[in-house]
Amino acid sequence: MSDKLKILVTGGNGFIGSHTVVELLHAGYNPVIADNFSNSSPGIVENIERITGKRPAFSETDICSESETQKLFLEHGPFDAVIHFAAFKAVGESMEKPLMYYHNNIGSLISLIRVMQQNQVSKLVFSSSCTVYGQPDILPVTEKTPLKSAASPYGKTKQLCEEIINDVCTVEKLDAVSLRYFNPAGAHESALIGELPLGIPNNLVPFIMQTAIGKREVLNVFGGDYNTPDGTAIRDYIHVVDVAKAHVSALQRLYSQHSHNGNEIFNLGTGKGNSVLEAINSFEKTSGTKLNYKIVARRSGDIEKVWADTSMANKELGWKTELDIDDIMRSAWNWEKYLASNV
Ligand code: WQD
């Protein structure tokens, strides 16, 4: 079924995008990367080729620009489906720059769907987020859990994007699968691709790695007074390769007879929560390296605890996670050491 279906991967040069492109190539798809390098660096495509033996086509495109996106479709199309990653994704940063997040994350989706319609492309996999839930009252959180007001502009952009997709699916020819990622982290086992945040990392795992390698002096643990067993916040850390494989399953869903249900939503998590201190302990155990950290005040926009009920994705996508937090820390540390040896 996948035989050379041409898949546009927006943001495909980024963290989850690049890992998904690898899995698409392994699965026999023909991915085309569109990226504007706003949160990624050149050179990723070469490493994708080193991993897979195949070099995906690449176009430097700002998906917020409808004219650039139309040019992309003309030059690299026709596309059979689109996986849309291109968005900003840091909760903390979105608190300081809300307008940048609304413009980029919502503008890019509207521009993309418009051009998809102009080119009769009707299958979309959308990169959503567990931040749409806000702080759930009951855990684990299922796809039926009522959405609260998201705690950050980032989460609100993902809520709005899901609504936009829902509404378009109702009146236009569009079939979508929206994947609510929990906390993607880790790196490919080859240590040739991984999380490569530009500037100071917003996210926990890359900050742990940069502290351990000596690029950062200390890891600030945001909050030690949460209502959790060790006082630090709990998240569902999911290996990025498991997240990537779920996108292949989502594409298969769109080509199966089950689809045509509008915008189907799935949680992508492990079903297990880990606190920040547990994550640090996992790193120290797997790397044999002591981490320099200190507990400081909470970060605005953070919720206390969230982890996923993954039974829908397990059942309907035939997908489940194969890796755990130790695999995340081991692979992320190997990636950080690769980066340090290739400066
Ligand atoms: C995790 C925990 C921080 C940095 C992420 C993605 C977002 C979405 C949801 C996909 C929190 C703590 C962090 C640090 C810390 N995923 N922390 N010190 O905020 O849960 O959001 O998952 O869409 O895209 O950003 O992830 O890694 O920033 O924080 O103590 O230096 O680690 O307070 O409890 P978050 P995060």
Side-chain angles (χ1 to χ4, degrees):
M1 183 270 295
S2 62
D3 262 4
K4 291 298 169 217
L5 284 177
K6 188 178 269 192
I7 312 296
L8 171 60
V9 183
T10 75
N13 201 57
F15 175 41
I16 304 172
S18 56
H19 287 79
T20 300
V21 167
V22 165
E23 297 308 324
L24 287 169
L25 288 166
H26 285 329
Y29 291 92
N30 175 16
V32 174
I33 295 174
D35 204 296
N36 66 355
F37 298 120
S38 62
N39 194 22
S40 64
S41 312
I44 303 290
V45 172
E46 283 71 23
N47 284 351
I48 290 173
E49 185 174 16
R50 286 171 65 187
I51 294 169
T52 64
K54 301 169 198 160
R55 187 184 183 88
F58 179 89
S59 168
E60 185 170 355
T61 306
D62 177 0
I63 300 295
C64 279
S65 158
E66 222 172 294
S67 58
E68 282 190 38
T69 307
Q70 180 54 38
K71 184 164 173 283
L72 163 72
F73 274 65
L74 289 179
E75 289 176 359
H76 290 274
F79 298 116
D80 296 288
V82 180
I83 302 180
H84 182 45
F85 290 105
F88 296 144
K89 62 115 182 170
V91 170
E93 183 186 48
S94 77
M95 300 296 284
E96 295 148 26
K97 302 174 181 171
L99 210 50
M100 183 179 92
Y101 271 68
Y102 284 109
H103 176 264
N104 186 65
N105 291 8
I106 294 168
S108 60
L109 178 71
I110 292 172
S111 160
L112 174 67
I113 293 179
R114 277 193 171 139
V115 175
M116 284 174 70
Q117 288 176 331
Q118 290 156 13
N119 292 273
Q120 294 76 48
V121 179
S122 62
K123 294 185 187 323
L124 172 66
V125 177
F126 175 64
S127 165
S128 190
S129 165
C130 67
T131 47
V132 302
Y133 294 111
Q135 174 57 68
D137 295 328
I138 299 169
L139 291 167
V141 68
T142 76
E143 292 83 354
K144 297 271 183 286
T145 298
L147 305 191
K148 292 181 158 180
S149 169
S152 67
Y154 166 74
K156 287 174 188 163
T157 67
K158 291 301 183 179
Q159 285 178 339
L160 284 165
C161 285
E162 285 189 8
E163 286 307 314
I164 290 167
I165 295 169
N166 292 343
D167 291 344
V168 173
C169 286
T170 307
V171 295
E172 308 274 355
K173 191 175 178 324
L174 179 67
D175 280 329
V177 170
S178 292
L179 301 175
R180 290 177 179 167
Y181 311 154
F182 280 68
N183 284 55
H188 191 265
E189 61 185 358
S190 65
L192 289 171
I193 55 174
E195 195 161 7
L196 192 56
L198 302 182
I200 299 174
N202 286 291
N203 293 122
L204 177 67
V205 173
F207 210 108
I208 287 176
M209 301 305 149
Q210 291 193 11
T211 304
I213 204 89
K215 278 175 78 172
R216 308 287 163 203
E217 195 194 329
V218 61
L219 168 77
N220 290 317
V221 174
F222 297 134
D225 57 352
Y226 284 106
N227 178 23
T228 61
D230 64 19
T232 62
I234 295 174
R235 295 289 185 276
D236 185 334
Y237 296 96
I238 177 171
H239 198 290
V240 63
V241 171
D242 282 328
V243 174
K245 288 178 177 174
H247 289 75
V248 178
S249 304
L251 270 182
Q252 288 161 351
R253 176 76 172 184
L254 284 170
Y255 281 91
S256 73
Q257 75 282 3
H258 301 288
S259 190
H260 314 302
N261 299 325
N263 182 19
E264 288 193 282
I265 309 263
F266 296 101
N267 284 341
L268 292 191
T270 66
K272 179 174 173 8
N274 282 111
S275 71
V276 177
L277 289 180
E278 286 171 337
I280 292 169
N281 292 339
S282 168
F283 168 71
E284 292 184 330
K285 178 184 70 174
T286 52
S287 66
T289 304
K290 199 92 187 79
L291 188 75
N292 182 27
Y293 68 88
K294 67 177 190 293
I295 294 181
V296 299
R298 297 180 180 188
R299 177 176 67 178
S300 67
D302 276 347
I303 61 166
E304 180 169 80
K305 51 193 169 192
V306 67
W307 60 91
D309 175 314
T310 63
S311 45
M312 275 280 279
N314 301 154
K315 177 169 172 282
E316 300 299 333
L317 294 182
W319 165 90
K320 65 178 178 53
T321 50
E322 297 161 24
L323 302 165
D324 65 13
I325 190 151
D326 289 346
D327 298 308
I328 285 174
M329 294 302 174
R330 195 176 298 114
S331 58
W333 184 227
N334 288 337
W335 164 243
E336 192 64 37
K337 290 185 284 186
Y338 165 82
L339 289 174
S341 61
N342 285 274
V343 286

